[in-house]
Every structure is written in structure tokens, then in C-alpha cells.
Amino acid sequence: MVLSELAARLNCAEYKNWVKAGHCLLLLRACLQGFVGREVIAFHRNLLAAVPGLGPRAACRGGSRCSPRARQFQPQCQVCAEWKREILSHHTNRNGDVHWGNCQPGRWPVDPWEVAKAFMPRGLADKRGPEDCDAVALLNLINSCDHFTVNRKKVTEVIKCRNEIMHSSEMKVSSVWLQEFQMKIQNFLNEFKNIPEIVEVYARIEELLTSDWAVHIPEEDQRDGSACGAGVYLSESQVNEIEMELLKEKLHEMYLQAEEQEVLPEETARRLELVREFLRDNEDLRNGLTDEMQRLDSFHVQPHKLNSGSSGGDT
Ligand SMILES: [Zn+2]
């Protein structure tokens, strides 16, 4: 790793804010995974208790004909039709977009996570459990499934912030923004006062956001960065890992937006150019993102490939 590049990046306060905000999302994800996993199992159990006909002995008879695509799903068998009805009855966004393409309906009777994915954003077909999901996927599930009793406005506020982080083309946020983010996260976490692992993370997030976020960059000597005292203290490789994860999520989001044609190809190209410019000066990050960049380039070079769907590894 090229330490001088990292040091230069972190000299920019707004970039550092952006990475801090991303670090919060990772902490949020980590503290939600266990809770969400347990609740999804409970939700599935409740569904089967209420409608025993949906249980493990029910089998899809439609085979490949019961395959959803993106937001479309026309069940071809009784079991899938009943499941679809039941999922929608618990969906808070039942009149809006439901990303059926995330799911394998044939697995609904036996796999709670396949059910959970009907309450999540697009592009999660290959995710097998909460440990594979990012914060926004888990937040959307909490928001869209009525099994979760929370103040939904507090959830959507955090989702909105997350989108602002990911869509920031400059990869910068102001300190005022960061303070507001902290408040919104606190409001959200306060909804889970009886879940110790969620309560616990708040102190860590607060400490992270309010600290100067000292980063230990060893000069000549290779002291171990993890042996630290008080305060939030990360080694350069930890910071680098966070940056990498954030950038991957950002590029993946750009990919999904391009694939769904939510943004014009010219706009994708413009955003891509900004990322490329940023990476030009930061070889340490560039090397880890070659695949993601190439994937995005394919849109730019062959925009008509979009419609054929031949590039989709997601569905
Ligand atoms: Zn079926």
C-alpha cells in the first residue's frame, strides 16, 4: 500500500467525513445482521403458523414457469400464488416496487431468507443470508416488512443518508451533514433499545463520528497499528479496507442504475469519469477495483447490450 496516497486523501476533511460515514454504515450493518437473521426466521415461522398450507410440505408445481423477473412475477402454481399473496399482505410497499426477481419462489416454503428478499431492493438474488447483505438491504427489509415494528420514518431517514453517501459523485460530505447523519442514526438505533448488540454499537458510532479519527501511519518502523490506546484509532490497512468496501458498493450501485436505465448513459459516463479521475491519483485503490471498473465500462462501450440482458450475473 502506498501510504502517502492514503495520507493525502485523509488530508481532505470532506473525504475523511465520507469514509467515516461509510464506516458507520458498516458498523450498522454488523449490528443489524444477527438481529435481522433471527427476526426473519421468526417471521417465516409466524407465516407458516398462520397459513399451514405454505409449509415445507407445500411444493411449487410450476417449475421454471414460476420464475420472477425483476418486478414481475406471475405465479403458475397454487403454492406460489398463495405465497405471493401472503408476502404482499405483509409488505408496506405493496402498491409500489416489489423486487420479485430477488427470490426463488420454489424455496419460499423452506427458506426464510428467500422470503425476506421480496422486501429488499433489487440485485440481491445471489445473497444467501444477512451476512451477505449491506446496510441498505437490511434497512429496506426492516422498512418494508410489517413484522418489524419501528417508526418507519426513522428508517427511511437513514436510508436517505446512505443513498447520499453512495451517490456523492465527489465522494465528500460536509461536517454539518455528518452531524445530521449521526442524529438520524441515533434516532434509528433508539428504536431497538431491547437489542443489546444494537444499543452497544451506538457508543462506537458516536465515538467514531466525534473523534478526529486518528489514523496511525507508521513511518520507517512497522509498529503494529492495532495496539492502540483511547479513542478511535485505525491502522492504515483498516482504513483502506473501509474505503475499498465503500467504493465497491458505490460502483455496484452505479452498475445497477445503469442496468435499470435509471440514469442516462451520458450521466453514467460522467460519474465514471469522476471516479476514474479520483483513482488515477490513488493507485492503492485503483488496483483493487479493476473488475468493477471494467464492468461499468462495458455499458459505456456497448450501451445496446443492456436490453439483451446477456450481461446479468445478478438474476
Ligand atoms: Zn410455483
Side-chain angles (χ1 to χ4, degrees):
M1 189 187 314
V2 188
L3 290 178
S4 57
E5 291 177 350
L6 175 65
R9 286 198 295 279
L10 294 178
N11 263 337
C12 170
E14 292 187 314
Y15 177 78
K16 186 152 87 175
N17 286 342
W18 186 72
V19 182
K20 274 186 175 183
H23 189 25
C24 285
L25 290 176
L26 295 178
L27 290 172
L28 193 61
R29 173 181 78 176
C31 82
L32 287 177
Q33 281 168 335
F35 164 72
V36 165
R38 294 192 300 275
E39 291 304 316
V40 162
I41 290 170
F43 172 58
H44 193 259
R45 206 168 38 221
N46 293 348
L47 281 181
L48 299 193
V51 193
L54 299 179
R57 299 176 68 184
C60 166
R61 307 238 175 251
S64 60
R65 289 179 303 131
C66 280
S67 296
R69 259 185 84 91
R71 297 174 181 82
Q72 306 296 323
F73 180 41
Q74 301 300 334
Q76 301 296 314
C77 80
Q78 181 99 30
V79 172
C80 290
E82 255 186 75
W83 263 108
K84 182 182 176 183
R85 204 161 41 235
E86 203 56 31
I87 287 172
L88 282 177
S89 77
H90 290 278
H91 217 295
T92 60
N93 190 30
R94 71 190 70 142
N95 299 317
D97 288 338
V98 177
H99 295 277
W100 300 108
N102 282 337
C103 310
Q104 295 177 41
R107 294 193 53 77
W108 282 338
V110 292
D111 186 346
W113 198 251
E114 286 301 318
V115 178
K117 286 194 287 187
F119 299 89
M120 294 191 187
R122 66 192 167 192
L124 299 172
D126 59 342
K127 309 295 182 214
R128 293 278 163 261
E131 62 286 348
D132 293 337
C133 291
D134 55 24
V136 76
L138 304 175
L139 290 167
N140 270 287
L141 168 64
I142 292 172
N143 189 37
S144 303
C145 178
D146 69 4
H147 173 77
F148 295 91
T149 47
V150 286
N151 179 333
R152 301 202 135 66
K153 190 167 182 299
K154 295 180 180 177
V155 187
T156 49
E157 287 283 332
V158 178
I159 293 176
K160 228 176 98 201
C161 287
R162 178 270 175 193
N163 291 340
E164 284 167 10
I165 296 168
M166 288 305 155
H167 300 161
S168 159
S169 52
E170 303 256 282
M171 291 164 278
K172 291 174 181 172
V173 297
S174 72
S175 299
V176 174
W177 187 95
L178 201 60
Q179 273 168 15
E180 279 172 22
F181 181 43
Q182 183 183 351
M183 210 175 63
K184 286 168 186 169
I185 286 196
Q186 180 173 27
N187 289 340
F188 169 75
L189 294 176
N190 278 339
E191 293 286 293
F192 304 91
K193 284 196 171 121
N194 50 350
I195 315 292
E197 77 251 35
I198 297 185
V199 172
E200 199 181 300
V201 88
Y202 183 69
R204 289 185 62 196
I205 286 182
E206 187 177 37
E207 198 180 17
L208 163 75
L209 289 179
T210 51
S211 79
D212 179 48
W213 204 23
V215 175
H216 176 64
I217 299 179
E219 301 287 331
E220 251 46 312
D221 56 332
Q222 287 295 316
R223 276 176 293 145
D224 185 356
S226 59
C228 62
V232 178
Y233 187 82
L234 299 170
S235 70
E236 73 281 1
S237 64
Q238 284 170 311
V239 178
N240 213 254
E241 246 172 67
I242 295 165
E243 289 178 290
M244 203 60 100
E245 232 180 295
L246 253 173
L247 286 162
K248 280 188 179 168
E249 191 173 336
K250 180 183 167 60
L251 293 175
H252 184 63
E253 182 102 357
M254 277 169 67
Y255 179 83
L256 290 175
Q257 285 184 321
E259 188 179 50
E260 299 257 318
Q261 293 169 304
E262 279 172 13
V263 292
L264 295 170
E266 302 84 62
E267 177 60 16
T268 301
R270 192 190 68 85
R271 292 183 195 173
L272 197 56
E273 193 43 45
L274 283 169
V275 177
R276 204 187 309 281
E277 206 171 292
F278 169 78
L279 292 179
R280 200 171 292 142
D281 302 327
N282 294 287
E283 198 186 345
D284 55 334
L285 296 173
R286 188 170 68 226
N287 294 338
L289 296 168
T290 343
D291 290 352
E292 283 78 4
M293 291 302 281
Q294 272 172 1
R295 240 177 131 211
L296 273 161
D297 269 338
S298 67
F299 278 120
H300 192 43
V301 181
Q302 300 159 286
H304 297 295
K305 213 178 156 187
L306 297 182
N307 297 323
S308 71
S310 55
S311 64
D314 287 302
T315 47

